[in-house]
Amino acid sequence: MIARPWWIGLLVLGAACARSQRTIRLYQECNQIGYCTDQFGHTTGPPVAGSESEWPSYGRTPYGDRHSPLKQIDIGNVSKLEVAWRFHTGEGAPEFKTRSPTALEVTPLVFRGTMYLSTPLGRVFALDPITGAQRWVYDPQIDRTTNFGDFANRGVALWLDNAAVAGARCSLRVFVATIDTRLIALDAATGSPCTSFGAGGTVQLRDGLRNQPGFASEYEETSPPTVVDGVVVVGSAVADNNRIDAASGEVRGFDARTGALRWTFDPVPQGAADPASTTWIGPNAHRSGAANSWTVFAADPVRKTVYVATSSPSVDYYGGERKGRNEYGNSVIAIQAGTGRVLWHFQTVRHDLWDYDNASPPALVDMTVGGRTVPVVLQATKTGQLFVLDRETGKPVFPVTEGAAPSSDVPGEEAWATQILGSGLPALSPQNVTRAQIWGGLTAEDRDWCRKRFDELRYDGVFTPPSTRGSLIIPSNVGGAHWGGVAFDPTNDVVVVPTNRIGAVITLIPRATFEAMRGRATIGERIGTEYAAMNGTPFVLKRELFLGQTGAPCTPPPFGTLVAVSLRTRQIVWDVPLGTSEGLDKIGIHMPADVPGAINLGGPITTGGGLVFIGGATDRYFRAFDLKNGRELWKAPLPAGGKATPMTYLGSDGRQYVVIAAGGDGKAWGWSDEVVAFALPRPAR
C-alpha cells in the first residue's frame, strides 16, 4: 500500500526502538489489526493486515478493500461448501421484542482466535470461530420501545493499545456504537466495559451536537467506528426528510484510551473562513442538518488519515432553504485523524435533490497509472458511477465529465446547473430509460399500465429534479451502487460492485393539499411507498418505487446486478444478474421465480481462490461467483436475506470459513437472528 523504501524504513525504526522481546512481539501483534500506536500516540507499523488467516476490520484491512488472500476454497471446490455452524443471537425471543423491525447486518471480525460481532440491539458477542460457541456477551440495554428507522448495527471495531502491558485488561478493546448513540469500549477478553474510557466505558454521542435531535430516532448509529492514530472516529445516521434543520451530521474523533473529544468536523460549514461556507446560500442554509456520514469509513494508518463519504443535507428532495452547491455534502473527504483537519474533498453530487448519499464505504487500493503505483480512493455512488481519486490530492485519476443538468420547475427551488455525468469509467447501472424499455410485468396490460404512468411523470433523463406532478428518478435512492460497497481484486485490479436497477417516483405535494388527505410519516422503509413531512418547506414528500399494477418494477429486468470493472482497461469485465425474483410473492410482487436479478442490499468480498461471495438479494441465497467471468458457481439458501457483507478466515483447525449474517430486515428480506458459517467438508479419516 506504500512505497517499499518507506515501508522498510518503518520496520527498521521499529526494530531499533524495541528494547525487549516482548516489545517486538507486541509490535507484530499490533500490525495484525492494521496499525499500531506507540506510547506517544504515533503510528509505528506498516499498514499490513498481518495474518492472512484473520478478518480484523470491517473491510478486512483498515483500507476497506474486502479482499482475503485465502484460497483453500476456490473455483474448483466451492460447490462443495456446507454449513459448518450456525449461531443464533437469541433476539427473536419475546424478551427482545422491539417496536420496529430489526436487521442483523453485521460483518463479524476474527482476531487472535476469537470472533466478535454485534446485533441491532447493540449486544456484542465473542464466539469460538471454529464452533460458533459463545464465549461472552455484553448487553447495553437499549430501549426497545423506540421506533428506530434503520434498526441495524453493522459491526464493531478493534484497537490494540501497545502502551498497555500485554494481556492487561482493555489492552485489546472492542468499540461498538449503538443505535441509541452510545460509543462503548469493551475489554476484548471479558466483554466488560473499559471504565477508563468516557464515563464508565461510554461516551454519549448526542452531547455537543450543533442541531440536537428532535426525537429519539432522528439520530442513530448503524455503522462501526474506525480507529486510526489512536483516535476513534464516528459518524451518524440521521432520519431523512423530517425537517430542514435536522440533527447535525458532525464527524467526530475521540481519544481511544480516554474517550475525550479530540475534534469535530461539521459537513455544513459554520465559519466564514471555510471556503465551502460560500456554497451554502440563504438565511437557513447554515442551519441545515444531516450531510452526515452513515456508512463505514476507510483509514490509511501510515498517512494517519480517515476517508469519509457524506450524504445529502436536509431535506433530501427540496433545497430551497439551502441553495448553492452545498460543498462537503455528498462528498468524499480526507481528514487528518489526529487533528480533524480537512486535507481535501471531492463532491460527487451538487446540491443533492435525489437522496444520492455516498452510502458505499470508500475503499483504498493501489493501482498502476503510467507505469507508477498510485494510491487511490474508490467511491461507488447511488448515481451508478465509480470514482477513482488520488489518495493524496482527491483529484480524479480518470477525467470526469460534467455537463448540464435539468432545471427545477418547483417554486423556490434552484437545481444546480451542472452535474458529473461520467467518472472516466463506464457507468455501473443504466443512466436512462426509454418508453420502449418500460416493462411492468409479463403481460401487455402490465406494460401498457407502466407506459401510461411513464407518460404522466416528469422525466428528463438523469438528474431529473423532483416535481409536483411526480418525477421519475433513475437511478433511484436505492442505487445504482448502494451501502453494500465494493470489493477489490488486487491481482487483476478489478473492482466488484452490486447495483440496483429500478426507478423511483418522487412527488412533492403542496402542504395544504396534503393536510386535506391522510398520509403517514416516513418509517425508514426502502421498498414501497412512504411519506415524509419535510418541515420547513412548502411540500410533503411522497416517495415510491416505480412499480406496476401487479407490483412488478416498471423498469426492465435484471432489477439488480453484480458488476466487475477493470481499472487497467477502464472497461466492464462482466455484468451479471444478482439473484432472481424467487419469493417476491411474499411481499406482493407477482412474477415467475426465474426472472433474473433482484433488489439487493449488502456487500461483496473477493478471495485469493478466485471467488466473489455475496448475499444481499431479496431471494435469500448466499452465492459464490467466478471472479474472472461472473459465472455463478454455488448458492445456498439462507433463513432470511443475507443483507450484510460476508467475511472469511482460516480457523485453527486448518479450514477456511466463510460467514454471513442472514438476518433479513423484517420486511422484504424476511427476518432471522442467525449468523451462518460455511466450510468445505472435513477430510475423511
Side-chain angles (χ1 to χ4, degrees):
M1 294 295 179
I2 55 176
R4 183 174 297 274
W6 177 231
W7 185 85
I8 293 172
L10 285 172
L11 288 179
V12 172
L13 178 61
C17 292
R19 292 292 180 265
S20 68
Q21 185 176 0
R22 187 192 70 82
T23 304
I24 295 174
R25 183 174 65 252
L26 183 59
Y27 169 81
Q28 293 170 335
E29 290 172 347
C30 193
N31 284 340
Q32 289 177 353
I33 52 175
Y35 53 90
C36 122
T37 55
D38 63 26
Q39 60 186 332
F40 302 104
H42 301 302
T43 301
T44 57
V48 296
S51 171
E52 294 183 350
S53 66
E54 298 176 320
W55 193 283
S57 297
Y58 181 89
R60 197 182 83 86
T61 69
Y63 299 98
D65 53 277
R66 299 189 192 169
H67 174 77
S68 170
L70 295 177
K71 50 189 172 184
Q72 182 184 104
I73 303 169
D74 58 29
I75 60 174
N77 60 24
V78 67
S79 62
K80 299 178 182 178
L81 282 180
E82 61 183 23
V83 174
W85 53 259
R86 298 175 183 267
F87 175 75
H88 289 266
T89 69
E91 291 185 3
E95 60 266 32
F96 292 112
K97 184 178 180 180
T98 55
R99 184 178 174 188
S100 54
T102 60
L104 182 66
E105 297 176 355
V106 63
T107 296
L109 308 184
V110 167
F111 180 60
R112 289 181 172 176
T114 298
M115 174 178 284
Y116 303 93
L117 61 90
S118 55
T119 74
L121 292 176
R123 297 163 73 226
V124 180
F125 288 89
L127 307 181
D128 183 324
I130 307 303
T131 65
Q134 179 180 316
R135 290 177 175 167
W136 56 254
V137 61
Y138 169 80
D139 188 346
Q141 297 293 317
I142 285 171
D143 181 2
R144 298 187 300 278
T145 65
T146 300
N147 190 26
F148 292 111
D150 291 323
F151 205 153
N153 187 295
R154 297 186 181 110
V156 300
L158 299 175
W159 181 65
L160 185 60
D161 182 358
N162 80 326
V165 175
R169 187 176 182 279
C170 291
S171 57
L172 177 62
R173 298 186 177 195
V174 181
F175 288 102
V176 61
T178 59
I179 190 76
D180 61 356
T181 63
R182 287 176 281 165
L183 177 62
I184 301 172
L186 304 174
D187 174 31
T190 64
S192 58
C194 298
T195 54
S196 60
F197 181 84
T202 298
V203 169
Q204 299 289 343
L205 295 176
R206 295 174 185 241
D207 291 352
L209 289 177
R210 172 175 55 84
N211 288 356
Q212 280 294 315
F215 49 94
S217 61
E218 188 183 14
Y219 187 81
E220 305 172 348
E221 295 286 343
T222 56
S223 292
T226 297
V227 191
V228 60
D229 197 25
V231 178
V232 189
V233 187
V234 292
S236 59
V238 176
D240 291 341
N241 301 307
N242 177 60
R243 56 187 172 120
I244 60 170
D245 53 349
S248 45
E250 288 104 316
V251 177
R252 287 171 293 174
F254 297 89
D255 188 285
R257 294 190 182 94
T258 68
L261 178 65
R262 296 271 290 272
W263 52 263
T264 297
F265 165 71
D266 194 329
V268 179
Q270 296 300 298
D274 190 330
S277 181
T278 61
T279 68
W280 298 74
I281 300 170
N284 292 320
H286 294 88
R287 293 176 49 215
S288 297
N292 52 302
S293 184
W294 56 267
T295 191
V296 183
F297 304 151
D300 187 327
V302 166
R303 290 176 173 83
K304 303 179 184 179
T305 302
V306 61
Y307 297 82
V308 173
T310 61
S311 66
S312 53
S314 61
V315 290
D316 292 344
Y317 295 100
Y318 180 80
E321 299 299 322
R322 52 168 175 86
K323 295 175 182 177
R325 182 166 158 159
N326 302 150
E327 288 189 21
Y328 294 146
N330 304 87
S331 297
V332 183
I333 306 170
I335 299 176
Q336 192 173 67
T339 65
R341 183 169 68 92
V342 173
L343 303 176
W344 55 257
H345 76 282
F346 176 84
Q347 190 176 48
T348 57
V349 175
R350 289 79 162 92
H351 187 74
D352 188 5
L353 300 175
W354 305 272
D355 191 18
Y356 280 157
D357 297 353
N358 284 319
S360 299
L364 312 182
V365 305
D366 286 349
M367 60 175 289
T368 302
V369 178
R372 65 187 183 93
T373 299
V374 178
V376 300
V377 182
L378 304 178
Q379 183 65 53
T381 67
K382 288 185 181 181
T383 62
Q385 302 292 343
L386 176 62
F387 290 94
V388 183
L389 309 175
D390 187 293
R391 205 182 309 171
E392 291 283 359
T393 65
K395 295 181 179 179
V397 173
F398 306 128
V400 301
T401 302
E402 185 156 357
S407 59
S408 175
D409 58 7
V410 171
E413 181 59 85
E414 294 180 8
W416 195 254
T418 63
Q419 294 288 347
I420 296 178
L421 305 178
S423 67
L425 292 170
L428 303 170
S429 61
Q431 300 292 287
N432 292 282
V433 65
T434 66
R435 192 178 192 278
Q437 293 172 318
I438 294 298
W439 193 68
L442 301 178
T443 70
E445 183 182 5
D446 294 334
R447 190 163 51 251
D448 290 344
W449 192 96
C450 281
R451 285 179 176 172
K452 182 177 183 296
R453 184 81 196 281
F454 178 83
D455 293 339
E456 295 169 348
L457 297 170
R458 177 179 177 183
Y459 182 61
D460 299 314
V462 66
F463 293 108
T464 299
S467 65
T468 55
R469 68 189 269 199
S471 292
L472 176 57
I473 310 298
I474 295 176
S476 74
N477 57 294
V478 293
H482 50 71
W483 66 257
V486 309
F488 184 65
D489 169 33
T491 302
N492 301 292
D493 286 350
V494 169
V495 185
V496 180
V497 194
T499 69
N500 286 310
R501 300 192 172 195
I502 57 174
V505 176
I506 301 301
T507 307
L508 300 182
I509 305 172
R511 194 165 300 279
T513 302
F514 184 79
E515 299 284 341
M517 57 183 280
R518 291 187 178 184
R520 62 181 177 86
T522 181
I523 56 171
E525 180 63 271
R526 293 295 180 268
I527 305 297
T529 301
E530 59 182 327
Y531 293 86
M534 299 205 306
N535 290 306
T537 79
F539 303 100
V540 170
L541 167 70
K542 180 182 180 182
R543 179 168 68 180
E544 56 192 314
L545 292 181
F546 187 29
L547 304 179
Q549 58 184 350
T550 64
C554 289
T555 45
F559 309 129
T561 68
L562 193 62
V563 185
V565 184
S566 170
L567 297 185
R568 295 177 185 173
T569 67
R570 295 167 58 181
Q571 298 295 321
I572 300 291
V573 181
W574 46 261
D575 184 345
V576 299
L578 177 56
T580 68
S581 57
E582 179 182 335
L584 288 182
D585 57 309
K586 296 177 182 177
I587 59 171
I589 298 178
H590 305 294
M591 65 179 76
D594 59 353
V595 174
I599 300 170
N600 62 90
L601 291 172
I605 64 171
T606 61
T607 73
L611 297 168
V612 179
F613 286 99
I614 188 169
T618 50
D619 66 359
R620 309 178 192 182
Y621 285 94
F622 189 31
R623 291 177 163 87
F625 294 85
D626 189 323
L627 186 54
K628 288 184 178 179
N629 54 33
R631 183 166 61 96
E632 184 180 303
L633 301 174
W634 168 84
K635 71 176 182 179
L638 297 173
K643 194 166 162 261
T645 299
M647 50 82 72
T648 186
Y649 57 94
L650 189 69
S652 60
D653 60 351
R655 289 207 294 172
Q656 181 183 351
Y657 293 81
V658 184
V659 177
I660 190 167
D665 66 346
K667 305 169 192 173
W669 279 262
W671 190 89
S672 165
D673 69 343
E674 280 192 69
V675 177
V676 186
F678 297 87
L680 296 173
R682 294 184 183 277
R685 294 185 177 180

